[in-house]
Amino acid sequence: MKTMELVFLLIFFPVTLSVKHSLKFSDTASSGVKNFPDFVVVGLVDEVPLGYCDSISKLPEFKQDWSQKLIEEDPQQLEIYTQECLSSQYKYKDHIDILKQQLNQTEGVHIFQRMSGCEWDDETGEVNGFLQFGFDGEDFIAFDLKTLTWIAPKPQAVITKHKRDRERPNNVIWNYFLTQQCPDLLKRYLDYGKSSLLRTELPSVSLLQKTPSSPVSCHATGFYPHRAMMFWRKDGEELHEDVEHGEILPNHDGSFQMSVDLNLSSVTPEDWRRYECVFHLSGVRDDIVTKLDKAVIRTNCEFPAGPVIGGVVGLLLLAVCITGVFIWRRKDNGERQTYFYSS
C-alpha cells in the first residue's frame, strides 16, 4: 500500500483499539483475626467496586449508582446476592477449618481467598476465565479451563487437586460459569454503567523533582480507566535501567494516578533532550509524550499532595477487599450454583 493511501486511511478511518474488560469476585475468609469480618466478598467491574458484603453486615451493599439501578430493575439479582452472602460465610468457616486440619495448622491466624472471574476483549470477543485459591499468602490451587483439571503448585495441595479432579460435574459447571455466564454478566454490567465505566479521561502529566539530585518523576493524574502504562524512553527506545515504576493508585474522584522515576545521575545536561516520558491509555491511539526539559520540572516538593493522599487512602480501603492472595476453598458436592458467583 502506498504511503499516501495509508495516511488517508488513518485520517478518515481511525484505528479502533481493543480494550479488555474484567469482572472479578474476591472472597476472603479469616480465622483468628480480631476486629475484622470472618468473611468478605467484593465484586469488581474493571476494578471498580460493584458490590460488597461481609459476615458482619450480612447484606450486600451496592457501591455505584448504576449497580443500584440494576438491582432495582432486576430484584432477582438482589435475592441471589443476599442468599450467597448469608450462606457463604458459614460454608467458608467449614472450609477453612477443614483446610487447617488437612495442613495440621490449627493454631494461629489464617487467611484464605478465592479469586474468580473473567476478561473480555471488546474488539476480538476473546474471553479468558480464571479461578484461583490460596492459603496464608501463598498460591494453593488453580483451575485449568483447557483441561478442566486443577493445578497444584505445592505438594500440600496435591490431595485437594485429586479430589477436585474427580468432581467432574462441578468442573464443568465452573467452566460454563467462567466462559459463558461471567462474560454475559460483564457485558450487562458494562451496559448499565457505560456512562462511567466506558468513559475515557486523559491525565495531566507533570515532571517533578524533589531536589536537583533526585530522580525526575513523570507523574500522570486524573486518567480513566486504570488500564494505562507509562515509561521513559531515550532516542525512541524504551528504557529499563535507572527507571522505577510506581503503582497505579486511585484518586478520591474515581480517576487514577501513576508515576515513573528516571535516575539522571549518569546523564549529562546535553543529553537530556534525548529523553521523554510516554503515557499510554488503553483504547486511545495517541500517547501523551513529555520531553525531558529542565525548564518545566516542578521542584521544591510541589507534588500534588491532595490526590496522592486520596489515592493512598483509596488503595488501603480497596486492599481490604482485594488482597491478591489466592486461597483454596473446598467445594461440596451438589451445592447450588448461581449466575452471580458460586462457592
Side-chain angles (χ1 to χ4, degrees), residues 11 32 64 68 112 125 138 203 215 224 226 236 267 291 293 302 315:
I11 293 175
Q64 311 299 326
Q68 294 175 4
F112 76 100
E138 296 183 2
Y224 190 93
H226 74 288
V267 179
K291 293 285 187 180
D293 184 352
E302 293 183 61
L315 185 65

Side-chain angles (χ1 to χ4, degrees), residues 21-27 42-44 114-120 127-133 143 145 174-183 185-186 326 340-342:
H21 299 282
S22 65
L23 173 60
K24 300 178 182 179
F25 298 108
S26 175
D27 301 52
V42 63
L44 302 108
R114 183 188 73 193
M115 183 72 76
S116 60
C118 57
E119 292 182 339
W120 168 63
V127 171
N128 292 310
F130 52 89
L131 173 60
Q132 299 170 292
F133 299 79
F143 188 46
L145 282 169
W174 267 118
N175 180 71
Y176 181 71
F177 171 75
L178 296 173
T179 61
Q180 301 292 327
Q181 293 178 318
C182 181
L185 273 177
L186 173 56
F326 301 119
F340 169 37
Y341 59 88
S342 52

